[in-house]
């Protein structure tokens, strides 16, 4: 395999994706490459990735490598990051014969993760899942005791300008299949016109479909400046002590944000905010709801999500994966059945009409005369 291309590099994959162009080589340091990161790389049309971390550690069956393989994007691993320090952003490199070359000089060797290697390592991760599940449950229960104030009223919900009372609210998170799910419920959005809340990059997802978010909520690490400027209200998720690293970025854009100190994830507090502001219905799209989701986000448990969903469950509709319910293709043969079914009553009514019956009898007589029958 021979690949030649321009290198774009970053230790944080989500910071890199905005700079990638089609055909680029992505140089990353991403242990247990997750599905969302992989999908963002696929969308950019890169030629391959070079990873200085274990793309699959075997700790659990992370889904990112499979996404890349299914989209024919090769995965190369290099063990020593220092060997790649001579490669700068924008350099043209060549990958072939087990070597990475810059200006015809070998920089380092690599390991090519092939499809069989990936599925073998993922199988090892599946075997370890029971152990991870035990740890995950223990951590969830432990943190649930500490974070119960999130749903018992000890965490103060901030005042906002957006009127949510008795309205539908759509909360969009950049999770699995979020774009296809958004496309599937577009009719619902256009007809019902729910309050639109984007959780970090979920705001950009809304804008891609032509919608302006009413609220952006999150730590502001994966939402674009354009989305922040366009959104009607910005809420920065802060730590329990009030520290909010995302505030500086928002204020530099000339936006005065609302600070929401709370434990848990940004999508959790988006759900809680909607509930406490008396939303009639909360539709969550792309949210993280299972163990693999949380392991891919690097979280040891899902205490806040568990607690919040217990509280808001009577108003919550989870739209994740809804495209799989309504995404089946239309078989043209069914069109013929529909047309035939529509014609049957027309034919019956026509035959019962006296004038039509007389006309048919007359035609029979004429045909017999012509044929001499």
């Amino acid at each position: 395999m021979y690949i030649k291309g321009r290198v774009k590099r970053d230790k944080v994959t989500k910071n890199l994706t905005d700079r990638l162009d089609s055909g680029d080589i992505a140089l990353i340091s991403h242990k247990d490459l997750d599905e969302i990161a992989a999908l963002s790389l696929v969308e950019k049309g890169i030629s391959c990735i070079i990873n200085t971390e274990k793309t699959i550690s075997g700790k659990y069956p992370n889904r990112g490598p499979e996404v890349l393989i299914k989209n024919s994007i090769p995965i190369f691993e290099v063990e020593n990051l220092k060997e790649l320090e001579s490669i700068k952003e924008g350099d043209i490199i060549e990958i072939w014969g087990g070597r990475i070359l810059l200006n015809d000089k070998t920089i380092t060797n690599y390991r090519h993760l092939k499809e069989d290697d990936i599925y073998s390592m993922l199988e090892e991760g599946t075997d370890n899942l029971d152990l991870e599940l035990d740890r995950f449950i223990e951590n969830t229960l432990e943190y649930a005791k500490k974070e119960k104030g999130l749903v018992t009223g000890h965490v103060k919900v901030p005042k906002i300008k957006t009127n949510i009372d008795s309205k539908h609210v759509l909360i969009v998170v950049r999770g699995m299949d979020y774009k296809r799910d958004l496309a599937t419920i577009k009719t619902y959005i256009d007809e019902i016109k729910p309050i639109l809340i984007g959780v970090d990059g979920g705001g950009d997802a809304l804008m891609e479909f032509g919608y302006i978010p009413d609220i952006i909520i999150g730590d502001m690490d994966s939402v674009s400046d354009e989305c922040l400027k366009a959104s009607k209200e910005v809420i920065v998720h802060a730590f329990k002590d009030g520290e909010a690293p995302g505030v500086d970025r928002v204020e530099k854009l000339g936006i005065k944000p609302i600070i929401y100190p709370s434990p848990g994830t940004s999508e959790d507090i988006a759900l809680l905010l909607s509930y406490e502001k008396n939303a009639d219905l909360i539709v969550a799209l792309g949210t993280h709801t299972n163990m693999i989701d949380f392991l891919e986000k690097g979280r040891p448990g899902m205490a806040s999500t568990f607690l919040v969903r217990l509280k808001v469950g009577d108003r919550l509709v989870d739209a994740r994966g809804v495209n799989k319910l309504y995404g089946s293709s239309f078989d043209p043969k069914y069109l013929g059945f529909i047309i035939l079914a529509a014609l049957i009553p027309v034919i019956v009514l026509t035959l019962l009409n006296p004038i039509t019956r007389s006309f048919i009898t007359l035609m029979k007589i004429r045909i017999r005369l012509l044929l001499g029958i």
Side-chain angles (χ1 to χ4, degrees):
M1 179 180 292
Y2 176 80
I3 296 175
K4 183 177 181 179
R6 189 177 303 278
V7 173
K8 301 287 177 65
R9 61 182 301 166
D10 206 302
K11 290 184 178 180
V12 181
T13 307
K14 65 183 176 182
N15 293 342
L16 175 64
T17 51
D18 288 339
R19 308 200 306 272
L20 288 171
D21 296 309
S22 179
D24 282 346
I25 295 172
L27 176 51
I28 62 176
S29 298
H30 197 141
K31 185 177 181 180
D32 289 322
L33 183 69
D34 62 274
E35 182 179 33
I36 300 303
L39 286 170
S40 66
L41 293 170
V42 169
E43 287 175 2
K44 292 296 182 175
I46 62 171
S47 59
C48 67
I49 70 164
I50 301 172
N51 197 354
T52 62
E53 292 282 355
K54 291 289 185 184
T55 313
I56 306 171
S57 70
K59 182 180 178 182
Y60 66 95
N62 56 305
R63 296 175 291 208
E66 189 175 6
V67 170
L68 295 183
I69 289 299
K70 286 182 176 179
N71 286 277
S72 302
I73 296 177
I75 302 170
F76 304 110
E77 287 187 351
V78 174
E79 293 184 0
N80 193 346
L81 180 58
K82 290 183 179 180
E83 294 177 344
L84 297 171
E85 286 180 354
S86 59
I87 299 177
K88 307 301 181 186
E89 177 102 0
D91 281 345
I92 304 295
I93 65 170
E94 297 173 276
I95 302 171
W96 65 284
R99 300 177 298 155
I100 297 175
L101 297 94
L102 174 65
N103 299 325
D104 297 323
K105 179 183 177 182
T106 298
I107 301 299
T108 187
N109 296 324
Y110 63 80
R111 178 193 178 195
H112 181 195
L113 293 189
K114 298 181 180 178
E115 188 170 350
D116 289 345
D117 300 324
I118 288 171
Y119 284 112
S120 176
M121 287 187 281
L122 289 177
E123 189 174 336
E124 180 185 344
T126 302
D127 292 339
N128 290 332
L129 206 53
D130 284 347
L131 178 60
E132 288 299 318
L133 179 60
D134 287 340
R135 293 174 181 167
F136 192 81
I137 292 172
E138 288 174 8
N139 284 327
T140 296
L141 294 175
E142 180 184 348
Y143 282 101
K145 294 176 184 178
K146 297 177 182 178
E147 297 180 2
K148 63 182 180 181
L150 183 65
V151 296
T152 56
H154 296 294
V155 175
K156 187 177 180 181
V157 177
K159 292 182 179 180
I160 60 174
K161 296 177 182 177
T162 306
N163 181 21
I164 291 176
D165 187 42
S166 301
K167 297 180 180 180
H168 286 209
V169 175
L170 173 64
I171 297 172
V172 178
V173 181
R174 287 206 321 185
M176 180 179 177
D177 279 350
Y178 70 97
K179 285 189 176 180
R180 280 184 285 182
D181 287 339
L182 255 178
T184 302
I185 67 166
K186 194 174 186 304
T187 301
Y188 160 77
I189 299 173
D190 294 338
E191 290 182 359
I192 303 299
K193 295 182 171 33
I195 300 296
L196 302 175
I197 299 180
V199 177
D200 276 317
D204 287 295
L206 284 165
M207 291 188 67
E208 284 181 41
F209 282 79
Y211 303 112
I212 301 299
D214 294 291
I215 298 172
I216 292 294
I217 188 166
D219 51 19
M220 308 299 142
D221 67 343
S222 60
V223 59
S224 69
D225 289 349
E226 291 74 19
C227 184
L228 287 171
K229 291 175 183 177
S231 299
K232 299 170 187 175
E233 204 160 11
V234 176
I235 302 174
V236 177
H237 183 192
F239 299 119
K240 287 191 291 184
D241 61 6
E243 182 185 356
V247 167
D248 290 342
R249 179 194 171 195
V250 175
E251 290 181 340
K252 284 179 182 177
L253 295 173
I255 301 168
K256 186 176 180 181
I258 296 168
I259 311 300
Y260 193 163
S262 174
T265 68
S266 298
E267 58 196 73
D268 295 334
I269 64 173
L271 289 169
L272 195 61
L273 174 77
S274 303
Y275 183 88
E276 295 295 346
K277 298 302 180 182
N278 199 34
D280 183 52
L281 183 72
I282 304 168
V283 180
L285 186 148
T287 52
H288 301 88
T289 56
N290 60 64
M291 176 184 166
I292 300 296
D293 282 345
F294 274 74
L295 290 175
E296 291 202 321
K297 284 174 67 69
R299 294 180 67 86
M302 54 187 297
S304 60
T305 296
F306 176 71
L307 292 169
V308 168
R309 284 176 177 263
L310 275 179
K311 182 165 186 174
V312 309
D314 62 324
R315 301 184 205 171
L316 178 63
V317 174
D318 199 329
R320 174 169 170 166
V322 70
N323 71 85
K324 291 180 174 60
L325 288 174
Y326 301 104
S328 58
S329 59
F330 181 76
D331 192 331
K333 70 181 180 182
Y334 296 129
L335 182 61
F337 293 143
I338 293 172
I339 293 172
L340 180 60
L343 285 175
I344 288 173
V346 174
I347 294 170
V348 171
L349 290 173
T350 301
L351 292 175
L352 291 176
N353 187 291
I355 297 175
T356 304
R357 289 169 63 184
S358 298
F359 176 76
I360 292 172
T361 302
L362 180 62
M363 289 302 296
K364 285 180 180 179
I365 294 171
R366 294 198 63 179
I367 289 170
R368 287 178 178 178
L369 289 172
L370 286 170
L371 297 176
I373 299 174

PDB file of all heavy atoms in Angstrom, residues 9 15 22 28 48 57 72 82 108 127 133-134 146 167 178 194 198 200 206 214 228 317 340 343 349:
ATOM      1  N   ARG A   9      -1.962  17.483  12.154  1.00  0.00           N
ATOM      2  CA  ARG A   9      -1.716  16.771  13.400  1.00  0.00           C
ATOM      3  C   ARG A   9      -2.268  17.520  14.599  1.00  0.00           C
ATOM      4  O   ARG A   9      -2.304  18.753  14.637  1.00  0.00           O
ATOM      5  CB  ARG A   9      -0.217  16.514  13.586  1.00  0.00           C
ATOM      6  CG  ARG A   9       0.652  17.758  13.654  1.00  0.00           C
ATOM      7  CD  ARG A   9       2.136  17.388  13.781  1.00  0.00           C
ATOM      8  NE  ARG A   9       2.394  16.596  14.972  1.00  0.00           N
ATOM      9  CZ  ARG A   9       3.522  15.924  15.192  1.00  0.00           C
ATOM     10  NH1 ARG A   9       4.497  15.947  14.292  1.00  0.00           N
ATOM     11  NH2 ARG A   9       3.685  15.237  16.304  1.00  0.00           N
ATOM     12  N   ASN A  15     -10.182  18.610  17.974  1.00  0.00           N
ATOM     13  CA  ASN A  15      -9.594  19.893  17.587  1.00  0.00           C
ATOM     14  C   ASN A  15      -9.021  19.829  16.179  1.00  0.00           C
ATOM     15  O   ASN A  15      -8.891  20.853  15.499  1.00  0.00           O
ATOM     16  CB  ASN A  15      -8.491  20.298  18.565  1.00  0.00           C
ATOM     17  CG  ASN A  15      -9.025  20.599  19.948  1.00  0.00           C
ATOM     18  OD1 ASN A  15     -10.223  20.829  20.127  1.00  0.00           O
ATOM     19  ND2 ASN A  15      -8.150  20.600  20.932  1.00  0.00           N
ATOM     20  N   SER A  22     -10.055  16.990   2.403  1.00  0.00           N
ATOM     21  CA  SER A  22     -10.101  15.696   1.722  1.00  0.00           C
ATOM     22  C   SER A  22      -8.697  15.277   1.274  1.00  0.00           C
ATOM     23  O   SER A  22      -7.951  16.083   0.711  1.00  0.00           O
ATOM     24  CB  SER A  22     -11.025  15.781   0.506  1.00  0.00           C
ATOM     25  OG  SER A  22     -11.061  14.557  -0.184  1.00  0.00           O
ATOM     26  N   ILE A  28      -2.717  11.574  14.836  1.00  0.00           N
ATOM     27  CA  ILE A  28      -3.443  11.745  16.093  1.00  0.00           C
ATOM     28  C   ILE A  28      -2.774  10.960  17.225  1.00  0.00           C
ATOM     29  O   ILE A  28      -1.903  10.122  16.990  1.00  0.00           O
ATOM     30  CB  ILE A  28      -4.910  11.288  15.962  1.00  0.00           C
ATOM     31  CG1 ILE A  28      -4.975   9.786  15.618  1.00  0.00           C
ATOM     32  CG2 ILE A  28      -5.638  12.114  14.909  1.00  0.00           C
ATOM     33  CD1 ILE A  28      -6.386   9.221  15.572  1.00  0.00           C
ATOM     34  N   CYS A  48      -5.952   8.467   5.415  1.00  0.00           N
ATOM     35  CA  CYS A  48      -5.580   7.477   6.433  1.00  0.00           C
ATOM     36  C   CYS A  48      -5.341   8.190   7.751  1.00  0.00           C
ATOM     37  O   CYS A  48      -5.346   9.429   7.811  1.00  0.00           O
ATOM     38  CB  CYS A  48      -4.312   6.710   6.023  1.00  0.00           C
ATOM     39  SG  CYS A  48      -2.820   7.735   5.987  1.00  0.00           S
ATOM     40  N   SER A  57      -7.064  -0.773  22.698  1.00  0.00           N
ATOM     41  CA  SER A  57      -6.248  -1.259  23.813  1.00  0.00           C
ATOM     42  C   SER A  57      -6.686  -2.647  24.291  1.00  0.00           C
ATOM     43  O   SER A  57      -5.940  -3.336  24.976  1.00  0.00           O
ATOM     44  CB  SER A  57      -6.317  -0.272  24.988  1.00  0.00           C
ATOM     45  OG  SER A  57      -7.604  -0.302  25.585  1.00  0.00           O
ATOM     46  N   SER A  72     -12.983   2.215   4.325  1.00  0.00           N
ATOM     47  CA  SER A  72     -11.722   2.025   3.581  1.00  0.00           C
ATOM     48  C   SER A  72     -10.661   3.055   3.935  1.00  0.00           C
ATOM     49  O   SER A  72      -9.922   3.537   3.063  1.00  0.00           O
ATOM     50  CB  SER A  72     -11.995   2.045   2.068  1.00  0.00           C
ATOM     51  OG  SER A  72     -12.930   1.046   1.706  1.00  0.00           O
ATOM     52  N   LYS A  82       8.024  10.717  19.594  1.00  0.00           N
ATOM     53  CA  LYS A  82       9.214  11.543  19.372  1.00  0.00           C
ATOM     54  C   LYS A  82       9.784  11.355  17.976  1.00  0.00           C
ATOM     55  O   LYS A  82      10.360  12.277  17.398  1.00  0.00           O
ATOM     56  CB  LYS A  82      10.277  11.214  20.420  1.00  0.00           C
ATOM     57  CG  LYS A  82       9.923  11.685  21.827  1.00  0.00           C
ATOM     58  CD  LYS A  82      11.049  11.394  22.812  1.00  0.00           C
ATOM     59  CE  LYS A  82      10.684  11.902  24.201  1.00  0.00           C
ATOM     60  NZ  LYS A  82      11.764  11.622  25.192  1.00  0.00           N
ATOM     61  N   THR A 108      10.249   6.904  10.484  1.00  0.00           N
ATOM     62  CA  THR A 108       9.978   5.824  11.438  1.00  0.00           C
ATOM     63  C   THR A 108       9.275   4.675  10.714  1.00  0.00           C
ATOM     64  O   THR A 108       8.849   4.818   9.561  1.00  0.00           O
ATOM     65  CB  THR A 108       9.104   6.326  12.607  1.00  0.00           C
ATOM     66  OG1 THR A 108       8.989   5.298  13.592  1.00  0.00           O
ATOM     67  CG2 THR A 108       7.704   6.688  12.136  1.00  0.00           C
ATOM     68  N   ASP A 127     -14.325  -9.742  25.432  1.00  0.00           N
ATOM     69  CA  ASP A 127     -14.073 -10.702  26.508  1.00  0.00           C
ATOM     70  C   ASP A 127     -13.828  -9.994  27.840  1.00  0.00           C
ATOM     71  O   ASP A 127     -14.127 -10.533  28.908  1.00  0.00           O
ATOM     72  CB  ASP A 127     -12.862 -11.583  26.170  1.00  0.00           C
ATOM     73  CG  ASP A 127     -13.143 -12.518  24.998  1.00  0.00           C
ATOM     74  OD1 ASP A 127     -14.335 -12.763  24.719  1.00  0.00           O
ATOM     75  OD2 ASP A 127     -12.175 -12.983  24.363  1.00  0.00           O
ATOM     76  N   LEU A 133     -17.794  -3.974  33.108  1.00  0.00           N
ATOM     77  CA  LEU A 133     -19.176  -3.752  33.532  1.00  0.00           C
ATOM     78  C   LEU A 133     -19.280  -3.724  35.051  1.00  0.00           C
ATOM     79  O   LEU A 133     -19.981  -2.872  35.616  1.00  0.00           O
ATOM     80  CB  LEU A 133     -20.087  -4.839  32.958  1.00  0.00           C
ATOM     81  CG  LEU A 133     -21.566  -4.759  33.328  1.00  0.00           C
ATOM     82  CD1 LEU A 133     -22.163  -3.446  32.854  1.00  0.00           C
ATOM     83  CD2 LEU A 133     -22.339  -5.935  32.742  1.00  0.00           C
ATOM     84  N   ASP A 134     -18.574  -4.629  35.722  1.00  0.00           N
ATOM     85  CA  ASP A 134     -18.575  -4.638  37.186  1.00  0.00           C
ATOM     86  C   ASP A 134     -18.062  -3.308  37.727  1.00  0.00           C
ATOM     87  O   ASP A 134     -18.653  -2.712  38.638  1.00  0.00           O
ATOM     88  CB  ASP A 134     -17.699  -5.784  37.710  1.00  0.00           C
ATOM     89  CG  ASP A 134     -18.350  -7.147  37.512  1.00  0.00           C
ATOM     90  OD1 ASP A 134     -19.580  -7.181  37.331  1.00  0.00           O
ATOM     91  OD2 ASP A 134     -17.626  -8.165  37.548  1.00  0.00           O
ATOM     92  N   LYS A 146     -23.227  10.600  45.586  1.00  0.00           N
ATOM     93  CA  LYS A 146     -22.619  11.932  45.692  1.00  0.00           C
ATOM     94  C   LYS A 146     -23.366  12.964  44.858  1.00  0.00           C
ATOM     95  O   LYS A 146     -23.391  14.149  45.210  1.00  0.00           O
ATOM     96  CB  LYS A 146     -21.157  11.871  45.225  1.00  0.00           C
ATOM     97  CG  LYS A 146     -20.267  10.962  46.075  1.00  0.00           C
ATOM     98  CD  LYS A 146     -18.850  10.911  45.497  1.00  0.00           C
ATOM     99  CE  LYS A 146     -17.962   9.971  46.303  1.00  0.00           C
ATOM    100  NZ  LYS A 146     -16.599   9.873  45.729  1.00  0.00           N
ATOM    101  N   LYS A 167     -43.929  23.778  26.268  1.00  0.00           N
ATOM    102  CA  LYS A 167     -43.534  23.576  24.880  1.00  0.00           C
ATOM    103  C   LYS A 167     -42.728  22.289  24.711  1.00  0.00           C
ATOM    104  O   LYS A 167     -42.222  21.731  25.679  1.00  0.00           O
ATOM    105  CB  LYS A 167     -42.692  24.765  24.389  1.00  0.00           C
ATOM    106  CG  LYS A 167     -43.446  26.088  24.371  1.00  0.00           C
ATOM    107  CD  LYS A 167     -42.562  27.209  23.874  1.00  0.00           C
ATOM    108  CE  LYS A 167     -43.328  28.539  23.854  1.00  0.00           C
ATOM    109  NZ  LYS A 167     -42.477  29.654  23.380  1.00  0.00           N
ATOM    110  N   TYR A 178     -26.501  10.830  14.661  1.00  0.00           N
ATOM    111  CA  TYR A 178     -27.287  12.028  14.969  1.00  0.00           C
ATOM    112  C   TYR A 178     -27.782  12.734  13.701  1.00  0.00           C
ATOM    113  O   TYR A 178     -28.887  13.284  13.673  1.00  0.00           O
ATOM    114  CB  TYR A 178     -26.484  12.990  15.854  1.00  0.00           C
ATOM    115  CG  TYR A 178     -25.322  13.670  15.166  1.00  0.00           C
ATOM    116  CD1 TYR A 178     -25.450  14.948  14.635  1.00  0.00           C
ATOM    117  CD2 TYR A 178     -24.090  13.036  15.044  1.00  0.00           C
ATOM    118  CE1 TYR A 178     -24.390  15.570  14.008  1.00  0.00           C
ATOM    119  CE2 TYR A 178     -23.027  13.653  14.423  1.00  0.00           C
ATOM    120  CZ  TYR A 178     -23.177  14.920  13.907  1.00  0.00           C
ATOM    121  OH  TYR A 178     -22.114  15.527  13.287  1.00  0.00           O
ATOM    122  N   PRO A 194     -40.275  22.909  17.946  1.00  0.00           N
ATOM    123  CA  PRO A 194     -39.861  22.820  19.350  1.00  0.00           C
ATOM    124  C   PRO A 194     -38.736  23.806  19.667  1.00  0.00           C
ATOM    125  O   PRO A 194     -38.081  24.328  18.761  1.00  0.00           O
ATOM    126  CB  PRO A 194     -39.348  21.380  19.459  1.00  0.00           C
ATOM    127  CG  PRO A 194     -38.841  21.065  18.080  1.00  0.00           C
ATOM    128  CD  PRO A 194     -39.789  21.774  17.145  1.00  0.00           C
ATOM    129  N   GLY A 198     -28.880  22.831  21.506  1.00  0.00           N
ATOM    130  CA  GLY A 198     -27.712  22.106  21.032  1.00  0.00           C
ATOM    131  C   GLY A 198     -26.725  21.925  22.171  1.00  0.00           C
ATOM    132  O   GLY A 198     -26.382  22.900  22.854  1.00  0.00           O
ATOM    133  N   ASP A 200     -23.165  21.532  22.960  1.00  0.00           N
ATOM    134  CA  ASP A 200     -21.882  21.760  22.284  1.00  0.00           C
ATOM    135  C   ASP A 200     -22.038  21.597  20.773  1.00  0.00           C
ATOM    136  O   ASP A 200     -22.814  22.311  20.162  1.00  0.00           O
ATOM    137  CB  ASP A 200     -20.801  20.832  22.851  1.00  0.00           C
ATOM    138  CG  ASP A 200     -20.161  21.409  24.111  1.00  0.00           C
ATOM    139  OD1 ASP A 200     -19.869  22.611  24.121  1.00  0.00           O
ATOM    140  OD2 ASP A 200     -19.966  20.670  25.085  1.00  0.00           O
ATOM    141  N   LEU A 206     -27.565  21.224  14.232  1.00  0.00           N
ATOM    142  CA  LEU A 206     -28.824  21.903  13.940  1.00  0.00           C
ATOM    143  C   LEU A 206     -28.657  22.909  12.799  1.00  0.00           C
ATOM    144  O   LEU A 206     -29.492  22.998  11.894  1.00  0.00           O
ATOM    145  CB  LEU A 206     -29.350  22.613  15.189  1.00  0.00           C
ATOM    146  CG  LEU A 206     -29.995  21.718  16.248  1.00  0.00           C
ATOM    147  CD1 LEU A 206     -30.134  22.458  17.578  1.00  0.00           C
ATOM    148  CD2 LEU A 206     -31.358  21.227  15.778  1.00  0.00           C
ATOM    149  N   ASP A 214     -31.980  27.710  19.808  1.00  0.00           N
ATOM    150  CA  ASP A 214     -32.463  28.666  20.807  1.00  0.00           C
ATOM    151  C   ASP A 214     -31.460  28.756  21.952  1.00  0.00           C
ATOM    152  O   ASP A 214     -31.247  29.839  22.514  1.00  0.00           O
ATOM    153  CB  ASP A 214     -33.831  28.226  21.340  1.00  0.00           C
ATOM    154  CG  ASP A 214     -34.904  28.282  20.274  1.00  0.00           C
ATOM    155  OD1 ASP A 214     -35.260  29.400  19.869  1.00  0.00           O
ATOM    156  OD2 ASP A 214     -35.370  27.217  19.834  1.00  0.00           O
ATOM    157  N   LEU A 228     -22.072  29.759  18.011  1.00  0.00           N
ATOM    158  CA  LEU A 228     -22.216  30.527  19.248  1.00  0.00           C
ATOM    159  C   LEU A 228     -22.777  31.924  18.961  1.00  0.00           C
ATOM    160  O   LEU A 228     -23.635  32.424  19.685  1.00  0.00           O
ATOM    161  CB  LEU A 228     -20.873  30.640  19.963  1.00  0.00           C
ATOM    162  CG  LEU A 228     -20.362  29.369  20.652  1.00  0.00           C
ATOM    163  CD1 LEU A 228     -18.928  29.551  21.123  1.00  0.00           C
ATOM    164  CD2 LEU A 228     -21.256  28.992  21.826  1.00  0.00           C
ATOM    165  N   VAL A 317     -38.648  11.540  25.437  1.00  0.00           N
ATOM    166  CA  VAL A 317     -38.680  10.624  24.294  1.00  0.00           C
ATOM    167  C   VAL A 317     -37.270  10.588  23.722  1.00  0.00           C
ATOM    168  O   VAL A 317     -36.723  11.634  23.357  1.00  0.00           O
ATOM    169  CB  VAL A 317     -39.662  11.101  23.212  1.00  0.00           C
ATOM    170  CG1 VAL A 317     -39.563  10.210  21.979  1.00  0.00           C
ATOM    171  CG2 VAL A 317     -41.082  11.104  23.746  1.00  0.00           C
ATOM    172  N   LEU A 340     -53.138  -0.837  -8.499  1.00  0.00           N
ATOM    173  CA  LEU A 340     -54.147  -1.860  -8.761  1.00  0.00           C
ATOM    174  C   LEU A 340     -55.292  -1.769  -7.755  1.00  0.00           C
ATOM    175  O   LEU A 340     -56.478  -1.850  -8.117  1.00  0.00           O
ATOM    176  CB  LEU A 340     -53.501  -3.249  -8.700  1.00  0.00           C
ATOM    177  CG  LEU A 340     -54.439  -4.444  -8.967  1.00  0.00           C
ATOM    178  CD1 LEU A 340     -55.055  -4.323 -10.360  1.00  0.00           C
ATOM    179  CD2 LEU A 340     -53.692  -5.756  -8.815  1.00  0.00           C
ATOM    180  N   LEU A 343     -57.514   1.022  -8.658  1.00  0.00           N
ATOM    181  CA  LEU A 343     -58.293   0.840  -9.890  1.00  0.00           C
ATOM    182  C   LEU A 343     -59.470  -0.098  -9.705  1.00  0.00           C
ATOM    183  O   LEU A 343     -60.481   0.013 -10.417  1.00  0.00           O
ATOM    184  CB  LEU A 343     -57.387   0.303 -11.000  1.00  0.00           C
ATOM    185  CG  LEU A 343     -56.419   1.301 -11.628  1.00  0.00           C
ATOM    186  CD1 LEU A 343     -55.510   0.598 -12.630  1.00  0.00           C
ATOM    187  CD2 LEU A 343     -57.192   2.433 -12.309  1.00  0.00           C
ATOM    188  N   LEU A 349     -67.264   0.015 -10.323  1.00  0.00           N
ATOM    189  CA  LEU A 349     -68.305   1.028 -10.487  1.00  0.00           C
ATOM    190  C   LEU A 349     -68.622   1.258 -11.968  1.00  0.00           C
ATOM    191  O   LEU A 349     -69.781   1.484 -12.356  1.00  0.00           O
ATOM    192  CB  LEU A 349     -67.864   2.348  -9.835  1.00  0.00           C
ATOM    193  CG  LEU A 349     -67.819   2.340  -8.300  1.00  0.00           C
ATOM    194  CD1 LEU A 349     -67.198   3.627  -7.779  1.00  0.00           C
ATOM    195  CD2 LEU A 349     -69.235   2.184  -7.734  1.00  0.00           C
TER     196      LEU A 349
END
